[in-house]
Amino acid sequence: MAVSGGPDSTALMHLAARWRDRAPGGPRLFAATVDHGLRAASAGEAEEVARLAGALKLPHRTLFWQGDKPDHGLQEAAREARYGLLAAEARRVGASALALAHTRDDQAETVLFRMARGSGLAGLAGMSAETTRGGLVLLRPFLDLPKARLLATLDAAGLAYANDPSNFDARFARPRLRALAPALAREGLDARSLSRLARRVARADAALEAATDRAEAELVTVQKSGRAISGSAFAALPDEIALRLLGRLVATQGREGPVELAKLELLLEAVLAALALAPAPFRRTLAGASVTVRKGQVLVSTAPPRRLAARIATNSSAEKAPVLGKSGPRT
């Protein structure tokens, strides 16, 4: 389990140890703390976690985020580094699951954070109580519990915990959203309602994914050059299903990582416009994939590396362009 020393994760470690003691023969438990090296107090907080873990008879290890830290996107980079270190530690001890202490309050912040950044339905569904990342099962047993309940649990047990000042640092987006929570709650947008929204969106998202599964199975053919789909069948799909299907094909054939939703939406508009104007030629690239409309089909293939593509384009232009010689242009 991931234990930072804050109230939520301290409660997680305390309650997990109680569960183990009452149900012998269950899974073995390990605790790990990531010291990001961003604050002078972090080393002492990790030592306090190790002390409490020892008292609870839990194996514990402190992991260190080493190397240069980015000037921008620090919290996002720290989050990715934390998951990487915890996943590596899970593999080292042979753990198949990682327990995280996210609460209903964290879920509400996540929904607001993603809403502010224009997320689609998958993003607005928030976090899942159980999901898989890189072969490791992520468990969030407190996702439906308010943070106040965990604080009350710690107070009743007489357990101390740390408060990370970065959680209140207005330079970062999440603390700014956290500061808005009381005003939003007065308008009905409290953690309970935002978490309920996330559950409803997750339900709708699952239904749309199932519909996209069917469309992919029924309409997409695998060719040597990539994945193809009939243009008329693609144009007849509901826009959301067409968008998701196109995103899957681009992700499958591409080589440049996740596809940005806004760029994918623009690509879908362009593909549908090209289909309506057939037989006009059409070719676009996105995230390392090439999307072509030709002969009544939409073909998604792997685009050549950027340098090679640029060289091909340059050579092609040079072959077609007039060359200025002593006697004038010649072709």
Side-chain angles (χ1 to χ4, degrees):
M1 72 194 79
V3 187
S4 67
D8 304 343
S9 60
T10 299
L12 174 65
M13 185 165 65
H14 166 64
L15 293 172
R18 285 179 56 184
W19 169 70
R20 175 205 58 194
D21 295 342
R22 293 180 181 182
R28 295 174 63 199
L29 301 179
F30 301 85
T33 303
V34 176
D35 183 353
H36 297 89
L38 300 175
R39 297 181 294 107
S42 62
E45 292 166 1
E47 290 173 3
E48 283 300 307
V49 174
R51 183 196 61 76
L52 178 57
L56 296 172
K57 298 181 174 56
L58 283 170
H60 174 271
R61 192 178 185 204
T62 299
L63 313 172
F64 298 93
W65 184 24
Q66 298 176 328
D68 296 334
K69 310 300 189 292
D71 294 328
H72 303 287
L74 179 61
Q75 288 201 322
E76 289 78 6
R79 190 175 299 112
E80 288 301 312
R82 181 163 60 250
Y83 274 117
L85 289 166
L86 290 168
E89 178 65 7
R91 289 192 295 269
R92 189 187 73 82
V93 301
S96 60
L98 172 64
L100 304 165
H102 295 120
T103 66
R104 180 193 293 166
D105 301 69
D106 297 313
Q107 180 76 303
E109 287 174 13
T110 297
V111 171
L112 286 173
F113 182 83
R114 293 178 178 177
M115 190 182 299
R117 278 154 180 72
S119 275
L121 290 184
L124 296 181
M127 297 177 283
S128 300
E130 181 176 330
T131 188
T132 302
R133 176 171 174 168
L136 184 66
V137 178
L138 304 183
L139 302 173
R140 296 182 175 92
F142 298 158
L143 202 56
D144 286 329
L145 293 178
K147 184 184 187 76
R149 185 166 174 181
L150 299 184
L151 293 172
T153 298
L154 293 176
D155 289 343
L159 293 175
Y161 51 85
N163 277 309
D164 184 346
S166 67
N167 288 332
F168 310 95
D169 191 335
R171 291 178 301 168
F172 303 118
R174 284 181 181 269
R176 293 196 299 270
L177 291 173
R178 200 169 296 139
L180 293 173
L184 292 173
R186 288 193 293 272
E187 300 298 331
L189 283 174
D190 59 4
R192 183 188 296 273
S193 65
L194 287 166
S195 293
R196 183 172 60 242
L197 171 65
R199 289 194 300 272
R200 289 171 174 170
V201 171
R203 191 170 63 219
D205 184 61
L208 290 166
E209 281 296 286
T212 307
D213 289 341
R214 288 194 297 272
E216 184 174 14
E218 294 172 2
L219 303 177
V220 176
T221 60
V222 179
Q223 301 182 355
K224 274 188 177 182
S225 53
R227 265 68 172 173
I229 180 172
S230 159
S232 59
F234 184 77
L237 290 171
D239 284 353
E240 180 66 22
I241 306 303
L243 181 71
R244 289 169 181 248
L245 182 55
L246 182 61
R248 287 188 186 186
L249 300 182
V250 168
T252 299
Q253 297 295 138
R255 60 172 83 242
E256 296 178 5
V259 183
E260 292 182 32
L261 179 57
K263 292 182 179 179
L264 184 64
E265 289 170 334
L266 290 174
L267 177 61
L268 176 64
E269 289 179 10
V271 169
L272 293 176
L275 289 170
L277 295 172
F282 175 89
R283 182 178 179 275
R284 294 275 180 90
T285 59
L286 178 62
S290 174
V291 180
T292 305
V293 175
R294 66 183 182 194
K295 297 181 180 179
Q297 280 195 325
V298 179
L299 175 67
V300 183
S301 56
T302 302
R306 290 181 183 273
R307 289 181 181 176
L308 176 59
R311 192 158 56 244
I312 292 172
T314 300
N315 291 341
S316 175
S317 298
E319 290 172 3
K320 296 177 181 178
V323 178
L324 185 62
K326 289 183 179 178
S327 59
R330 57 187 174 86
T331 61

